[in-house]
Amino acid sequence: MTYCVGIAVQDGLVFVSDSRTNAGVDQIHTFSKMHVFSHHRHFYVLLTSGNLATTQGVVARLHKDIKDRPAHNLYTMQDLGEAAGYIGEISREEQKVFEGKESEKGFSPEASFIVGGQVLNESPAIAQIYPEGNFIRSSKETCYLQIGETKYGKPILDRMIHSEFDIAHAVMCALVSMDSTSRSNATVGPPIEYLVYLNDAYNPSLQQSLDRDHEYWLQLRKNWSDSLRRAFDSLPLAPGLDNLQMDSAANVMSIHNQNPFS
């Protein structure tokens, strides 16, 4: 499985992805799901989810077109929307390679992508590309996009992320979202990759990878868990629970006093 998230805030873009593609009892496979393309005033980050053969085929085709098709490749696109449509078209072509095999148990050639970056003088943006090849773009109201195992990491993003969020806290929020996902789904896990793109840089402003024993990753997970417990302990009791708790405590004491084996 996979979990990837892209966030667009006022200072730039944040991308986070896990690297786990298989998590069996005795075998774990990892492949990077974050791919960077940069040339002059074209900068893209591509996050991948879904069938590994399809996603690797799409990435290989993008590189091949850059090498062999000087008039039609990522670096000739005029905006991010055009690039997203181009990637979606390649994805559909790669999926067609597996036509007829969809009936095999558990097999699906489908793949999803997040592409983000900055093209020429366009403002930085992100888009999500569906298996059918169509795509949606982020907006001021919905400034993050997810692919893969999205449900566990969504609540923290919904509560925290907005377009005016500073980029450092957007990174930490995305990493907490990744932690929540990896705790609830063993098929999502380290190494965790994250990339920060600052407006008009046309190159990665920061790119890091955190393995499972990285000091920061361990600290972040512990501090977040401790903070959640403190927040939970500070919650007011629901109406009626004060008396219910006192009655329960009294019942436990009565049973304890009557038990000859206590």
Side-chain angles (χ1 to χ4, degrees):
M1 199 55 182
T2 296
Y3 178 51
C4 301
V5 58
I7 302 173
V9 292
Q10 59 185 353
D11 294 327
L13 308 174
V14 171
F15 303 90
V16 175
S17 63
D18 81 312
S19 300
R20 187 166 292 175
T21 59
N22 177 69
V25 174
D26 57 357
Q27 193 172 34
I28 293 177
H29 292 160
T30 61
F31 288 92
S32 176
K33 301 163 191 175
M34 181 181 294
H35 307 273
V36 177
F37 299 83
S38 179
H39 181 69
H40 294 315
R41 296 179 67 80
H42 288 79
F43 176 82
Y44 305 94
V45 177
L46 185 69
L47 306 180
T48 66
S49 171
N51 182 277
L52 186 60
T54 299
T55 59
Q56 289 187 336
V58 169
V59 173
R61 276 282 305 278
L62 293 174
H63 283 293
K64 187 175 189 302
D65 282 358
I66 289 171
K67 180 180 178 181
D68 298 342
R69 301 182 64 190
H72 189 68
N73 61 63
L74 276 178
Y75 300 147
T76 64
M77 300 293 133
Q78 297 303 300
D79 55 49
L80 189 73
E82 186 179 352
Y86 164 64
I87 295 169
E89 179 184 343
I90 292 176
S91 176
R92 289 292 301 145
E93 291 175 2
E94 289 297 319
Q95 291 176 61
K96 287 181 181 178
V97 174
F98 302 101
E99 282 186 350
K101 296 184 179 181
E102 291 87 343
S103 60
E104 296 180 12
K105 186 177 180 181
F107 176 81
S108 172
E110 292 188 347
S112 300
F113 303 86
I114 291 174
V115 61
Q118 187 169 13
V119 180
L120 302 175
N121 295 321
E122 182 186 42
S123 298
I126 55 176
Q128 180 176 340
I129 305 167
Y130 295 101
E132 295 77 12
N134 57 326
F135 66 91
I136 61 170
R137 295 180 66 146
S138 63
S139 66
K140 186 174 182 180
E141 294 72 27
T142 306
C143 59
Y144 74 86
L145 298 170
Q146 302 168 285
I147 54 175
E149 186 58 86
T150 60
K151 57 183 177 290
Y152 301 111
K154 191 173 187 295
I156 178 63
L157 299 174
D158 284 341
R159 289 180 180 273
M160 298 296 295
I161 291 293
H162 54 83
S163 59
E164 286 77 32
F165 216 43
D166 72 87
I167 204 159
H169 284 89
V171 172
M172 291 188 291
C173 192
L175 290 174
V176 168
S177 177
M178 179 65 72
D179 170 56
S180 299
T181 304
S182 64
R183 281 182 178 274
S184 298
N185 190 322
T187 65
V188 175
I192 307 301
E193 296 181 89
Y194 64 95
L195 184 148
V196 176
Y197 175 78
L198 297 178
N199 296 341
D200 303 321
Y202 295 99
N203 275 297
S205 302
L206 174 66
Q207 188 170 7
Q208 296 283 339
S209 178
L210 306 174
D211 62 37
R212 60 182 300 177
D213 297 319
H214 193 285
E215 182 179 357
Y216 177 76
W217 181 241
L218 297 175
Q219 181 183 0
L220 177 110
R221 304 191 79 187
K222 180 181 184 304
N223 288 2
W224 181 244
S225 293
D226 291 346
S227 296
L228 284 178
R229 293 189 184 97
R230 288 194 298 270
F232 181 81
D233 290 341
S234 70
L235 292 174
L237 291 175
L241 285 181
D242 283 335
N243 293 332
L244 180 64
Q245 284 197 330
M246 288 190 296
D247 290 344
S248 297
N251 291 336
V252 170
M253 182 62 72
S254 174
I255 294 172
H256 179 78
N257 290 337
Q258 294 174 17
N259 187 347
F261 300 103
S262 61

